[in-house]
Structures are given as structure tokens and as C-alpha cells.
Amino acid sequence: MDKPTFQDSHDPEKLSPPSVDHVNEPVYYGDNLPHYQNEVGFWTRLGCTPESFKQRTLADKNNQLNRSLKPRHLNMIAIGGSIGAGLFVGSGSALSDGGPAALVIDFIIIGIMMFNVVFALGELAIMYPISGGFYTYATRFIDPSWGFAMGWNYVFQWAVVLPLELTVAGFTVEYWPVRISVGIWITVFLVAIVIINIFGVLGYGEEEFWTSILKLATIIIFIFTGIILVCGGGPSSGQFSEYWGARNWYDPGAFANGFKGVCTVFVTAAFAFSGTELVGLAAAESATPGKSLPRAIKQVFWRITLFYIVSLTIVGMLVRYDDERLLGANPYGNVQASPFVIVAKDAGLIGLDSFINVVILISVLSIGNSAVYGGSRTLTALAEQGFAPKIFAYVDRAGRPLVSTITIIAFGLLAYVNLDAKGPDVFDWLLALSGLAALFTWGSICLAHIRFRHAWSYHGHTVDEIPFHAAFGVWGSWAGLILVILVLIAQFYTAVWPIGGEVNDAEGFFKSYLAAPVVLFFWLCGYLWKRTGWLRTSQIDVDTGRRHISPEDIHEQKRIHAARSRPAKLVHFFC
């Protein structure tokens, strides 16, 4: 079996080292790659001229995606990029199925998993600044056939999410008495996403930056408001005008549907965290990934603890799990079933429910834009590595993967299927395709990191040569991988024996577990095409395209870290 090869367009040995003084930051070769901005005009670089749509040719010195993302973009993509309907709306179904205790416990477990996944991804992305991100790591460190499966699985995950997000955005508008067809709203939102993508990665970065600020501000406002309501500080017109406390944990109780309810909430929690890994994908289009990505990765801790766990703890204290309004709560259902909206209504806070609904609308559109970004970049990387038709490797002079972007946006037209009477049935199957897809991606990231560390040692390297270390090293990746496997087992259990019923039928099972056979199908296609299997440690290439760091910088960083006080070391670990 031949060793898989990788493009060396990012090979640091073929780049001139940047002129940076060795002061407090190590030199990461490749961070300050030349942009050759003098080759094309400003409006062409921005993607607003006919010239910008022409293909970059081999004569171009920089035939790759642009590196326009700034540290502020990466920070906001990491801390708020994937906050959307999964948290604001889907948490309602999780509360109804599992109760407040299961809601918090499951989100903590998935949060621990994601903490380790993102740190493992950060170590790999900083070490190997290759476009395509995590899919290429599966190809490189696990099995090219499995990498093929992960790449196509990720593309289809986002291709399906786009029409789903457009549909829920259309239904979100119906929260207000607006008598306009959902189809018209779908068209408006699809056009908005197209306009954002005209500006390429810069459009994506700016959109994510500002929408993330709005989402985070909303959650912070909700947390402070919720604490006041729990303490009985709500207006007299609402039901929280007297001390409320944790009464919902006693009546109706902390758990709904017992152990089966706990298992059911896992998939909702996983869906709410989907997209967290996009920060690793965006690093390939960052101006200084070696310096800005570590800080962005560390922001994930705060999103998990503050914006997810704290806000959902308050939700569980203020909303009963047997509230009938939660019955329609799912990521693509009735937004009036959002527990965040229910709290605002029950508190008698006039206008807060509408404000939260506006944020939900903006959030789902943000996730739709992320779907175009994640799907198009992965599809382009697949084409560059020979796992997809070469036409998808087309990158225009504005740095946009044009054909891939158009292809993913075209999937948005599936949103109009919902206008048909049988549309909801079609969307149930589309949702089934994306439901568990992220779990396979996260497990692959952890396994790739484990195998990378093993191969790194096998080839005679030390951990000190790695620019950025995962917080808990290989053990953290093992913990993340084991948690992914346990969640898949829990979801299989509830797919066979769902809540409130006997053994599920075939249709019900596959609507819950369709992603698994789809991934296996992709792996089989990759194996039959490439005829490659599990890579032996000796076959793993750890040198091509890797980022080098000088021994002097390694020692300097150790000296700086050793000189920090214990509180400063703790702050540096989390920030």
C-alpha cells in the first residue's frame, strides 16, 4: 500500500521565514504569507468585478485561498459561531425529553468532549496549516478511505443544514402576524446568504463577528435577567414576582423519562455544538494562524461553561419540563416553543420575547452562512486531494472556491420542498442525514490527534517541537473519543427503544441513525476507489507541510512561561 501524498503548497521550507523579532512570541513560518495584493485591484480582491470570477492560474504566485481573517474573526467564530437554533430552540425538546438535570448533565458531558476535540484540532491545525482542516488529518493519520468518508460526510452535513436553516428562518418570521408566504422569506434569506458569500472569506468573517457579538450579548442579558427572575425580582405582571428558586427541580422533578431521557438529550446537545470545529477550518484563511488560533481555541472553554451551561441551568429553573408549549420544541420546529422565549413571556417582560426571536432569526441565518463556508471549503479540499472532481478545486482571483460555493448554495433550493404537503417528511430524512454526522467528525479529530502523537514520537520527534499543545494531551483526545463512542451507543439505544414506546420500526430507527450507514457507505466508496486502508505508524508522514519552530523560540517560550506566577499561568491556560 502506498503512502498517501499531500500537497506541499504550504511547506514552510519553501517559504522565506518572516522578519519577526524573537521577543515574546515564537516565529511560526507561514503566518505572514505574502498576499500579492498589488497583483489585482481592491474591488477585484473584494469579489465585486467580473475580473474577480476568473480562475487563478499557475502564473499566479499565490494560487490558494485568501488569508483575510483577523484574530478578532477567529475569536468570535470560536466563541459564538455555532450558537444557533440548537441552543435557543432545540434545548426545549431536550428539556421536555430529559428534564432540567439531564439537560445540564448532557451538555456538560458534550462540553467536555468538545473541549478536548477543539484543543486536539488546534494542535493539528497550527502544526499543519492545510486547507480542508480535519478531513485532511483523517486522511493523513488514520486511513485515506476514512478521510474520504469524513470529507464527503462533512460536505453533505452542511449541504443539508443550509436548506433546514433557511426553512426555520422562514418559520421564525411567522412568530409575528406577518401574512407572507414562507417561500418568499426563504428567497429573501437565500439571497442574503448569496450576497455575503460574494465577499468571500472576509464576508463570512465579518458576518460571524457581528452576529456572534449579538448572540453573546443576548445570552449575557438572559443570564442576568434569569438570575433576577429566580430570585423573585420579576415584574408583578409575570409569575416571577416572588422567590422562585429551583422549585422545578422538585416539581415536576429533575429528570423526565429516566435513563432513556438522558440518552435522548445527547443528540440535541451534540447538535447544539455542531460547527464548533469550524474555527480549525477557518485557520487556513487566517493571516496569522499560529498566533491567533491558540487564543481562539481557548475561548471555547468560556462558551461551554458560561453561554451553554449557565444559561441552560437558568432555563431548567424557570421552565417546567412538562410545559405543553415545549411539545413543539425542536431545532426545526415552532420557535414559540423556545424555552428562552417562554421565560420572556412568563416573566411579563414586554418586548423581550420578540427581541430573542430576532436573535434566533439572525442566528439561524448565521449557521446557514457557516454551512456554505464549511461545505465549500471542504469540497474544495477534497478536489485538491483527488477525492472529488477537479472542477471543485476552482478558486477565483478573489480567493473564493467559486464552484464549490455555488454547489453548496444550490442545495439551499431544497428549502422550497417544505412548501409541499409532503415537505415535512422529506425534511425529516434530511435532518436524519445531518443528525449524527458531527459526532463522526469529532471522533475522527480525536483519533487523528492520537495517531499523530504516536507517529510523531515514532519518527524521533519530541513534544517540545510542537508549537501548540492540546490542554490534556493524548489523554484528552482519548477522553473525547470515548465520549463520542458512548454518545453513539446512547443514540443507538434510543433509536431502537424510543421514549414512550416499544421497539422502533425501521423508518423510525433510520430517522434517528441514518448518518451511521451513510458514513459507512462513504468509507466503502473511498476504499473501493483508492484501495487504501488503515495506515501503519511507519507510513504516516509527519513532515510534509508542517510548521517549524526554532529551538531558540522553544526555550524562550519555556522561560517566559516559567517566569509567570501561578494565577498568570491559570489565566494563560484559559485565555
Side-chain angles (χ1 to χ4, degrees), residues 176-262:
W176 301 282
V178 180
R179 297 182 179 179
I180 299 177
S181 171
V182 173
I184 295 178
W185 290 115
I186 290 174
T187 303
V188 171
F189 299 139
L190 183 59
V191 169
I193 289 176
V194 170
I195 292 174
I196 292 172
N197 279 275
I198 288 177
F199 300 101
V201 67
L202 188 58
Y204 167 72
E206 288 296 333
E207 179 271 333
E208 285 298 296
F209 177 78
W210 294 108
T211 57
S212 292
I213 288 178
L214 176 62
K215 288 184 284 187
L216 299 182
T218 301
I219 295 177
I220 292 173
I221 291 172
F222 176 83
I223 289 173
F224 281 106
T225 302
I227 292 173
I228 294 173
L229 297 178
V230 168
C231 295
S236 57
S237 58
Q239 66 183 53
F240 304 115
S241 58
E242 59 181 25
Y243 179 74
W244 191 261
R247 65 181 67 181
N248 288 341
W249 284 62
Y250 301 97
D251 179 22
F255 293 94
N257 301 304
F259 177 71
K260 191 177 290 186
V262 174

Side-chain angles (χ1 to χ4, degrees), residues 106-115 266 269-270 273 442 487:
D106 284 22
F107 269 80
I108 288 176
I109 292 174
I110 298 296
I112 292 172
M113 175 206 302
M114 288 310 305
F115 181 86
F266 273 125
F273 281 99
W442 299 336
V487 171

Side-chain angles (χ1 to χ4, degrees), residues 377-390:
R377 268 57 181 182
T378 306
L379 183 54
T380 299
L382 283 167
E384 289 174 346
Q385 299 297 335
F387 285 169
K390 281 296 182 183

Side-chain angles (χ1 to χ4, degrees), residues 224-412:
F224 281 106
T225 302
I227 292 173
I228 294 173
L229 297 178
V230 168
C231 295
S236 57
S237 58
Q239 66 183 53
F240 304 115
S241 58
E242 59 181 25
Y243 179 74
W244 191 261
R247 65 181 67 181
N248 288 341
W249 284 62
Y250 301 97
D251 179 22
F255 293 94
N257 301 304
F259 177 71
K260 191 177 290 186
V262 174
C263 292
T264 302
V265 174
F266 273 125
V267 70
T268 305
F271 176 83
F273 281 99
S274 293
T276 304
E277 70 286 343
L278 280 174
V279 65
L281 196 66
E285 296 182 75
S286 169
T288 56
K291 297 176 183 177
S292 56
L293 186 56
R295 184 173 297 174
I297 291 294
K298 295 174 184 178
Q299 306 305 315
V300 173
F301 169 81
W302 297 108
R303 186 177 78 187
I304 293 171
T305 56
L306 181 61
F307 301 118
Y308 279 81
I309 307 303
V310 176
S311 64
L312 291 178
T313 299
I314 293 174
V315 163
M317 297 176 74
L318 297 175
V319 181
R320 296 169 60 94
Y321 74 70
D322 59 356
D323 192 316
E324 293 184 355
R325 290 171 293 181
L326 293 176
L327 295 179
N330 61 72
Y332 303 105
N334 183 4
V335 292
Q336 297 193 50
S338 164
F340 292 82
V341 174
I342 290 175
V343 168
K345 282 186 173 182
D346 290 348
L349 299 172
I350 300 174
L352 182 59
D353 57 332
S354 290
F355 172 74
I356 292 176
N357 206 55
V358 170
V359 175
I360 293 174
L361 174 61
I362 294 174
S363 298
V364 296
L365 289 176
S366 171
I367 299 298
N369 192 46
S370 295
V372 176
Y373 179 81
S376 63
R377 268 57 181 182
T378 306
L379 183 54
T380 299
L382 283 167
E384 289 174 346
Q385 299 297 335
F387 285 169
K390 281 296 182 183
I391 185 64
F392 293 114
Y394 186 105
V395 178
D396 65 19
R397 295 188 179 183
R400 300 167 298 195
L402 194 59
V403 178
S404 297
T405 300
I406 293 173
T407 301
I408 299 299
I409 289 177
F411 274 87

